[in-house]
Amino acid sequence: MPDYLDDLRFAHVLADAADATTMDRFKALDLKVETKPDMTPVSEADKAAEELIRGHLQRARPRDAILGEEYGIEGTGPRRWVVDPIDGTKNYVRGVPVWATLISLMEAGEGGYQPVVGVVSAPALGRRWWAAKGHGAYTGRSLSSATRIHVSRVGRLADASFAYSSLSGWEEQGRLDGFLDLTRQVWRTRAYGDFWPYMMVAEGAVDFCAEPELSLWDMAANAIVVTEAGGTFTGLDGRPGPHSGNAAASNGLLHDDLLGYLNGRY
């Protein structure tokens, strides 16, 4: 099996470059923000970070394809880099420090492309998480200064901490009743939002999280970090990986309960 460590080191280089770009414009009074056709915001920093990452990839990995939130798909082949230059743009443009650059390498295999490397870099929080297939998940400031992370061993809903992003998406999908029922069964709920709940699941600080509507670039890096930390990452349909347009992540012990409530089976 390939070890992917060279790709992981390169992903850290990409994240370093993106961090410098995004932090340079964070809280800038003259930051330019536009509204995309789907009515979500995009800042000049989103575009600049993705352009920078694409440039590095085109020079260093010219045979790999690239899929990014802002500029779409480029190239073909069995290896595909998936990039969200700023996950949490609404936080970014308001000066909230909970946002991150998500970088994943996906490789073609059974069941389609699957993430084999992931880096989640949140420079305004001073945090970074990463994983490579078969090598575990880590957090730290660099590859040489890192701590391995693992999901929790909480096995009862009554003891569990549940993280989510918002209520509106669950209501739009007709899943709000199941969602609220789940919140009544757990020990604690918090709406941290975006990438952060997944990283806290990987660290064992939160026991499960879910979001009703997502794109591949929102999930690919998170998925490999959660699974390499010993957790489970699926769609709400139970399909493993980041391909269902939504996500459920857990320590594994509580995954059936999570999906059961969110699909109205309980």
Side-chain angles (χ1 to χ4, degrees), residues 74-167:
E74 182 179 353
T76 59
R79 289 163 48 95
R80 178 181 297 171
W81 293 87
V82 179
V83 177
D84 188 343
I86 299 178
D87 180 54
T89 298
K90 291 177 182 177
N91 282 346
Y92 184 90
V93 301
R94 287 296 303 270
V96 178
V98 183
W99 50 270
T101 295
L102 311 184
I103 300 168
S104 179
L105 172 63
M106 302 186 74
E107 195 165 73
E110 291 185 21
Y113 286 87
Q114 297 298 333
V116 294
V117 166
V119 172
V120 176
S121 190
L125 293 175
R127 298 294 309 276
R128 184 178 291 187
W129 302 261
W130 62 87
K133 185 177 179 181
H135 290 278
Y138 294 82
T139 187
R141 295 197 175 275
S142 67
L143 280 166
S144 60
S145 177
T147 301
R148 189 161 185 172
I149 55 177
H150 301 275
V151 295
S152 75
R153 299 299 300 167
V154 173
R156 296 196 323 142
L157 284 180
D159 300 324
S161 180
F162 172 36
Y164 60 97
S165 288
S166 67
L167 297 179

Side-chain angles (χ1 to χ4, degrees), residues 16 119 132 246 257:
D16 289 342
V119 172
N246 46 51
D257 287 331

Side-chain angles (χ1 to χ4, degrees), residues 14-56:
L14 297 176
D16 289 342
D19 286 355
T21 297
T22 53
M23 286 301 291
D24 182 61
R25 299 299 293 154
F26 185 49
K27 297 187 178 180
L29 296 178
D30 60 345
L31 181 72
K32 295 182 178 63
V33 182
E34 304 168 15
T35 300
K36 294 192 284 190
D38 64 359
M39 301 308 292
T40 61
V42 58
S43 74
E44 62 181 271
D46 291 81
K47 294 180 177 180
E50 184 168 325
E51 288 170 352
L52 184 68
I53 291 169
R54 283 176 177 269
H56 280 292

Side-chain angles (χ1 to χ4, degrees), residues 165-194:
S165 288
S166 67
L167 297 179
S168 57
W170 301 107
E171 186 171 29
E172 290 164 7
Q173 292 191 7
R175 299 179 189 263
L176 185 59
D177 287 345
F179 174 93
L180 292 175
D181 286 344
L182 177 58
T183 67
R184 297 182 183 108
Q185 301 301 315
V186 299
W187 167 63
R188 191 170 192 247
T189 63
R190 284 293 184 272
Y192 299 106
D194 301 306

